[in-house]
Structure formats: structure tokens, C-alpha cells
Amino acid sequence: MSNLDTYRNNFEYIRMERQNGILQMSLHCDGGPMRWNLQLQAELAQAFTAVGADRENRIIILTGTGDEFSGPRSDPQNTVFSLSGFGPTAAELEPVWWNAKRLITRLLDIDVPMIAVVNGPAKRHSELALLCDIVIAADDATFEDTAHFELGGHVPGDGTNVIYTMLLGINRARYFMLTGQVL
């Protein structure tokens, strides 16, 4: 069992508040729109574990802060992958892989309804919103995957490849992910 008071302040990039069993998880960077980074990835895996174990949570709302759900677009300077052809070692990639896997499985392990409120463009890791039970999107919301193929030819992953295939069909999803399309 987990209790909100024991985990709510453990995260730099996730603000949590609960009222009447409804937990709102707001993703942010310094109070503004969320900027994907490896610390946030690790925090989300830990947060989804704690949230899923807290029986006082009856509904989870996952949202962004500011004018974007998630960002930024691809940034070769903010990645573990090198475009020069020399990537990280296996030892450096292991915690990234471990957290990426746990992030998705721990989100899916949450036993209460999850509602994504997509407050604007979801440029990085839009699968987080799309894996929720209900997705409510602002009029200016867009969905894309700027973290993989577009960033240097990496195969789409982290759950993006699974959810877009389920939502769009195999051929449309491959086209979407490999051409950097925006929905």
C-alpha cells in the first residue's frame, strides 16, 4: 500500500494533488510545459508504481502544464543517442531501457480509470496519453513521435510503436512513425 503523503513530493517533474479520490498528475518542467528527459522517465516509472499502489486513488487524471502536453521536438543535444554514429555503451543504456519498460508496464498496472487531458501538442511520448482509458484533447492538441526515427533513424519504441499500431492499423502507423507525421 502507498499513501499520497509519502510520495507526492518525491518528484521534480510531476505535481500531484488529490480531491475526493481523484488524483491529478501534472507533468511539468519548472512549472512550465514538460520537457522530456531521462530523470522524468525514471520519475514516471516510480510515480506510476506509487499511484497504482495507493487505494485512495479512484480516478487518475494525467495532464500537461502550460501550452503543451509534452515536448520538445527532437533535440540531438538532449538525448543519450549520438548522431555522430558513436552511441552510448550497453551499461549506459541499461537504466534507460529498464525505466522505459517499467514506465509503460506500471502505467498499465494502475487498476483505476485513467483520463488523459491533453492540453496541447504531445510531441514526445504521446503514448502516455494514448494508453489512458479516456483521452480528452484540446482543440490545438497534436500527437507525434519526435524521439525516435526523426532523431536519427532509431526504431520507434517505448510503447509508441504498439499504441499507434493499435489505433491506426499497421501500415498507417508505420507510415506515421517513419515519416514524422503529425496527427
Side-chain angles (χ1 to χ4, degrees):
M1 290 280 282
S2 189
N3 179 296
L4 183 62
D5 291 333
T6 64
Y7 63 82
R8 88 165 11 141
N9 296 317
N10 293 349
F11 308 105
E12 181 178 343
Y13 300 108
I14 308 165
R15 185 175 51 249
M16 296 188 206
E17 51 191 311
R18 182 173 58 209
Q19 213 172 61
N20 300 322
I22 301 171
L23 177 72
Q24 180 171 316
M25 299 176 68
S26 301
L27 308 178
H28 69 92
C29 270
D30 296 323
M34 184 263 278
R35 296 294 178 246
W36 190 262
N37 62 64
L38 297 179
Q39 183 180 341
L40 172 64
Q41 180 193 47
E43 283 189 8
L44 281 167
Q46 295 166 6
F48 289 147
T49 300
V51 165
D54 187 342
R55 295 293 153 229
E56 292 185 39
N57 292 327
R58 308 305 300 154
I59 296 174
I60 311 299
I61 297 173
L62 181 66
T63 191
T65 305
D67 59 357
E68 288 181 343
F69 179 79
S70 62
R73 289 193 58 76
S74 300
D75 179 4
Q77 305 305 316
N78 185 25
T79 181
V80 295
F81 301 105
S82 167
L83 298 178
S84 68
F86 299 103
T89 66
E92 293 167 329
L93 274 180
E94 195 280 330
V96 176
W97 175 84
W98 192 92
N99 285 323
K101 182 178 175 183
R102 296 309 176 285
L103 169 71
I104 299 302
T105 58
R106 303 292 161 77
L107 185 152
L108 295 173
D109 278 344
I110 294 174
D111 291 332
V112 299
M114 289 191 70
I115 301 170
V117 177
V118 183
N119 55 303
K123 298 174 184 175
R124 299 285 291 270
H125 293 282
S126 56
E127 76 277 3
L128 296 175
L130 297 173
L131 285 167
C132 290
D133 300 297
I134 296 172
V135 180
I136 300 170
D139 289 341
D140 66 339
T142 57
F143 297 85
E144 56 188 305
D145 174 30
T146 67
H148 296 100
F149 193 75
E150 205 177 281
L151 187 59
H154 303 288
V155 175
D158 297 330
T160 299
N161 53 328
V162 175
I163 193 66
Y164 279 111
T165 300
M166 290 174 58
L167 294 172
L168 300 174
I170 292 173
N171 287 331
R172 284 188 194 119
R174 287 189 292 215
Y175 183 85
F176 167 77
M177 291 182 286
L178 296 177
T179 61
Q181 297 293 298
V182 178
L183 298 176

